[in-house]
Amino acid sequence: MIPEQFRIELRDYFTNTIIVAGSYTQARADEMLNKGYADLVAFGRPFIANPDFVSRLQHQQPLADLDGTTLFGGNEHGYTDYPVLG
């Protein structure tokens, strides 16, 4: 975990865009944005498992779990077969 003091000092010294990534939840992402520690939050694996990722976040719907065994498998399985919520 990155210490909060480091984030504060980084923001003071670095005035360009800061993108954070790595196991962020919506609540944790909102905290980083609201405190001004980041300008953007990247979501990788949750985005793959949720083709309607943005809608799920907007409507506070649960996220589907990623099947990590399908990553880099050489075909579409695990990339195009995750369902959207009804």
Side-chain angles (χ1 to χ4, degrees), residues 1-4 7 11 18 20-21 24-41:
M1 181 71 79
I2 297 173
E4 187 168 19
R7 293 182 189 278
R11 180 47 84 189
I18 296 175
V20 296
Y24 277 84
T25 62
Q26 182 174 3
R28 192 165 161 240
D30 287 341
E31 179 184 0
M32 292 295 108
L33 297 170
N34 291 336
K35 288 184 174 183
Y37 299 158
D39 301 293
L40 299 164
V41 179

Side-chain angles (χ1 to χ4, degrees), residues 37-50:
Y37 299 158
D39 301 293
L40 299 164
V41 179
F43 291 88
R45 292 171 188 234
F47 190 80
I48 292 172
N50 296 276

Side-chain angles (χ1 to χ4, degrees), residues 28-81:
R28 192 165 161 240
D30 287 341
E31 179 184 0
M32 292 295 108
L33 297 170
N34 291 336
K35 288 184 174 183
Y37 299 158
D39 301 293
L40 299 164
V41 179
F43 291 88
R45 292 171 188 234
F47 190 80
I48 292 172
N50 296 276
D52 53 348
F53 181 72
V54 173
S55 176
R56 288 183 191 221
L57 291 183
Q58 289 173 333
H59 297 99
Q60 299 177 342
Q61 296 173 322
L63 297 178
D65 292 325
L66 176 74
D67 178 1
T69 63
T70 63
L71 291 177
F72 315 111
N75 62 33
E76 71 280 356
H77 181 67
Y79 289 95
T80 62
D81 54 348

